[in-house]
């Protein structure tokens, strides 16, 4: 008996080689998609686990001092530490500038010393 030779199907590959190539390519695509999904989940988990700080101010209180003529300004501020992981280092900085001169029209710029 003589063996029947089959011609190569695609790029010189047999049917088996072509099937294995297609399955390997599908596996690589699935692995890349799975890696992208895991990477996105990791970023979401890191954002979810971080500390969140909420700062609220409740009105301004002006108290004049008749003896010196100065005005004391107080602002009650509440800092709430939220999130799944608490903030360990919280720094605050409050800056108040006194503006000299007469008030101008809305939108006018004045130099702040």
């Amino acid at each position: 008996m003589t063996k029947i030779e089959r011609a190569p199907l695609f790029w010189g590959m047999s049917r088996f080689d072509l099937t294995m190539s297609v399955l390997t390519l599908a596996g690589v695509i699935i692995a890349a998609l799975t890696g992208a999904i895991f990477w996105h989940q990791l970023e979401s988990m890191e954002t979810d686990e971080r500390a969140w700080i909420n700062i609220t101010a409740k009105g301004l209180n002006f108290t004049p001092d008749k003896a010196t003529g100065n005005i004391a300004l107080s602002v009650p501020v509440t800092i709430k530490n939220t999130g799944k992981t608490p903030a360990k280092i919280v720094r605050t900085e409050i800056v108040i500038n006194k503006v000299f001169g007469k008030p101008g029209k809305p939108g006018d710029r004045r130099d702040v010393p």
Side-chain angles (χ1 to χ4, degrees):
M1 269 174 100
T2 60
K3 185 176 181 184
I4 300 173
E5 301 254 346
R6 294 191 180 176
L9 296 175
F10 190 69
W11 283 347
M13 290 190 279
S14 66
R15 183 170 296 201
F16 175 77
D17 291 337
L18 182 61
T19 304
M20 291 305 293
S21 298
V22 169
L23 290 176
T24 302
L25 179 62
V28 168
I29 291 171
I30 290 171
L33 291 174
T34 304
I37 290 170
F38 285 163
W39 183 262
H40 182 67
Q41 282 182 333
L42 178 64
E43 288 177 346
S44 296
M45 287 171 47
E46 288 173 350
T47 302
D48 188 41
E49 292 292 325
R50 68 181 288 190
W52 294 94
I53 304 280
N54 187 13
I55 301 172
T56 55
K58 296 181 181 175
L60 298 172
N61 298 323
F62 295 98
T63 308
D65 185 1
K66 294 180 182 179
T68 61
N70 292 331
I71 299 174
L73 170 67
S74 64
V75 181
V77 175
T78 304
I79 299 175
K80 189 174 182 181
N81 195 359
T82 61
K84 291 184 179 179
T85 305
K88 296 178 182 175
I89 300 172
V90 179
R91 296 182 186 147
T92 59
E93 182 177 333
I94 299 172
V95 177
I96 298 175
N97 291 324
K98 185 175 181 181
V99 178
F100 296 97
K102 295 180 182 178
K105 298 175 186 173
D108 288 350
R109 287 194 68 194
R110 294 181 284 172
D111 292 329
V112 178

